[in-house]
Amino acid sequence: MHFETDVKQIIERAPDVRSFRFNRPEGLDCFAGQYMIVTLKSERKELREPFTISSSPTERNYLEMTKKLTGHPFSNALASLKEGDKVSIEAPFGDFTFKGEYDKIAMLAGGIGITPLRCMIRYATDEKLDTKITLIYSNRFEDEIVFKNELEEMQKQNRNLRVVYTVTRPGEKWNGYRGHIDKEMIQKEIPDHVERVFYICGPPKMVEAMVAILKEMNVPDKQIKQEYFPGY
Ligand SMILES: Cc1cc2nc3c(=O)[nH]c(=O)nc-3n(C[C@H](O)[C@H](O)[C@H](O)COP(=O)(O)OP(=O)(O)OC[C@H]3O[C@@H](n4cnc5c(N)ncnc54)[C@H](O)[C@@H]3O)c2cc1C
């Protein structure tokens, strides 16, 4: 379905990462994890890109997307938006979804790939679902961890949620995991991995590597769900 809406709020999340909240068009319903196609007008050209809806279906007043700004044309057009500017949206799309149907899930995120997972975690927390969730979230730098404060806050609200970070280029004070998500990390943090449904999202190479590791660890194919963002 096609909708016209406007920018309600812009939120700085991390260096070069911003959330754009649009007034939620009436009649737009979606599941946690789905995406929308956003069209912007820039110098008489139309620019169109797919983005995860990073807000949860429980957040009824707005529809949010969260973008890593890269300096490329779409990023620049987005970065120049102001509150009240018009935006066209087509939605919802995609089957990388969580509807509360699993008792135990695990999430592996790389960088901006956190967006659909944040949406699912917010959904599970707001709906007070019993689903056990472990998220392992990898970033290059500590200050690039998107939604960190909110993830911490949701861990306090939702006793079924556990969040583990790893950083590939940590500062001296970092006392969490170092390096990419690997087999040992998954074995240690998710000992019951064979029983869990995995949601993986990040750059294509990261997703590919995670799927290979899970297969090696005997996680059945039907328990592996993946989404990747080309271009990162
Ligand atoms: C289902 C789905 C969900 C997604 N969700 C998200 C999300 O939640 N958040 C997010 O940030 N992204 C998401 N993406 C990726 C997003 O759609 C864009 O592809 C991405 O953000 C690139 O936008 P951009 O502004 O960098 O580049 P664009 O201007 O759109 O250009 C596209 C690509 O062309 C190349 N390019 C363009 N101009 C140049 C140039 N001058 N020099 C070199 N290369 C160039 C780059 O590779 C660039 O990535 C998602 C993608 C998919 C398929």
Side-chain angles (χ1 to χ4, degrees), residues 2-5 37-41 86-90:
H2 187 274
F3 303 92
E4 297 296 326
T5 182
I37 294 176
V38 177
T39 303
L40 304 177
K41 287 197 176 59
K86 302 276 175 233
V87 176
S88 301
I89 286 171
E90 292 153 70

Side-chain angles (χ1 to χ4, degrees), residues 180-188 193 213 216-217:
H180 292 300
I181 302 172
D182 60 18
K183 194 171 166 180
E184 288 66 40
M185 223 182 268
I186 298 173
Q187 262 162 348
K188 180 151 189 284
H193 48 270
I213 291 174
E216 231 182 272
M217 295 171 76

Side-chain angles (χ1 to χ4, degrees), residues 16-18 33-36 47-54 64-78 93-94 112-116 201 227-232:
D16 294 327
V17 177
R18 250 171 250 172
Q34 286 193 298
Y35 71 93
M36 57 185 163
L47 303 173
R48 253 173 125 246
E49 289 284 348
F51 291 97
T52 298
I53 301 168
S54 57
E64 182 187 273
M65 59 166 280
T66 302
K67 170 85 174 93
K68 183 159 178 69
L69 301 173
T70 60
H72 292 148
F74 193 95
S75 287
N76 294 343
L78 200 62
F93 298 102
I112 195 64
I114 190 67
T115 52
C201 189
E227 182 98 287
Y228 61 85
F229 299 168
Y232 292 118

